[in-house]
Amino acid sequence: MNVNDLAALAQRPVSEVAPWLQPIAAAMDEFQIDSAARQAAFLAQIVHESDGLGRVVENLSYSAPRLVAVWPHHFYLPPDDPNGRHDATQYEHRPEPLANLVYANRLGNGPEGSGDGWRFRGRGLVQLTGRRLYTEAGEALQLDLLNQPDQLLEPEQAARAAGWYWQHIGGNALADEGTQDGFERLTVAINGDLIGLDHRLVLWKRAESLLSVVG
């Protein structure tokens, strides 16, 4: 895939996607994403996850109603019954406290006061999240991600981390199936759900066309 194809897939100007071309190509080579079918699925997923290669860090600035919609077990809106939940208005557009609360004691993170939730928030082209994944990716990629997590904001390491995670979840095997069912299972492995599936499918078909995948 050349830079014009990548720009067409991401729906961004060539100048904005050009810094990603070589790192993505290198990551695909490193992690054996080496057929048109594998590359089409990989590119579709990372372009969706990164909002067209335009975002490599998790956006945690939410309105109070959105907090309740995304984390209904964590937040409530007054005057509703708290029922053990937190007042969403106290976390509205406050990314750091929010991350420390919702990611506490999960994904390998410590308690809320540890700051792990914010320190290991989603970064990279597939938004690696949590101390556990940062540890595993760092060991595999020989990067000190526990002390320097912002390395995942750099194109080279953001792309390598995406390639590593793809390998980690068996992305090549799922892409090799060449079916929508396989692509949906791939989406769940990356995202935890089928969020954004329609857009991912559009990107997948567009990438297949650009790469001339024969169905």
Side-chain angles (χ1 to χ4, degrees), residues 86-100:
H86 300 268
D87 179 351
T89 63
Q90 300 303 306
Y91 290 85
E92 188 171 37
H93 303 302
R94 297 182 64 210
E96 186 169 348
L98 172 63
N100 286 332

Side-chain angles (χ1 to χ4, degrees), residues 42-210:
F42 178 73
L43 288 166
Q45 293 289 354
I46 65 172
V47 166
H48 176 85
E49 288 289 316
S50 64
D51 191 19
L53 306 178
R55 185 185 69 239
V56 289
V57 65
E58 184 176 7
N59 178 14
L60 287 159
S61 183
Y62 290 90
S63 67
R66 185 61 180 159
L67 287 172
V68 174
V70 175
W71 289 287
H73 300 297
H74 280 284
F75 299 105
Y76 76 99
L77 278 175
D80 289 350
D81 179 8
N83 196 25
R85 295 172 296 171
H86 300 268
D87 179 351
T89 63
Q90 300 303 306
Y91 290 85
E92 188 171 37
H93 303 302
R94 297 182 64 210
E96 186 169 348
L98 172 63
N100 286 332
L101 174 67
V102 299
Y103 290 141
N105 298 310
R106 51 190 293 256
L107 307 174
N109 292 337
E112 184 178 353
S114 71
D116 280 356
W118 176 250
R119 185 176 301 111
F120 303 116
R121 65 193 182 280
R123 290 184 182 84
L125 290 176
V126 292
Q127 303 280 300
L128 292 187
T129 306
R131 177 182 280 272
R132 183 180 301 113
L133 276 181
Y134 274 68
T135 300
E136 293 176 6
E139 290 174 353
L141 300 172
Q142 296 187 313
L143 298 172
D144 184 6
L145 295 179
L146 294 184
N147 292 306
Q148 297 176 297
D150 280 346
Q151 290 180 85
L152 293 181
L153 305 183
E154 303 164 5
E156 179 184 358
Q157 305 308 344
R160 290 186 72 220
W164 169 80
Y165 191 66
W166 180 268
Q167 182 185 72
H168 181 70
I169 62 171
N172 281 337
L174 290 170
D176 287 345
E177 293 182 16
T179 65
Q180 182 167 327
D181 178 68
F183 188 80
E184 290 181 5
R185 283 184 282 129
L186 181 56
T187 298
V188 172
I190 289 173
N191 183 260
D193 207 333
L194 290 174
I195 295 170
L197 179 62
D198 288 347
H199 183 240
R200 294 173 201 264
L201 288 170
V202 168
L203 290 171
W204 183 36
K205 296 305 178 184
R206 188 183 299 159
E208 285 187 329
S209 178
L210 290 168

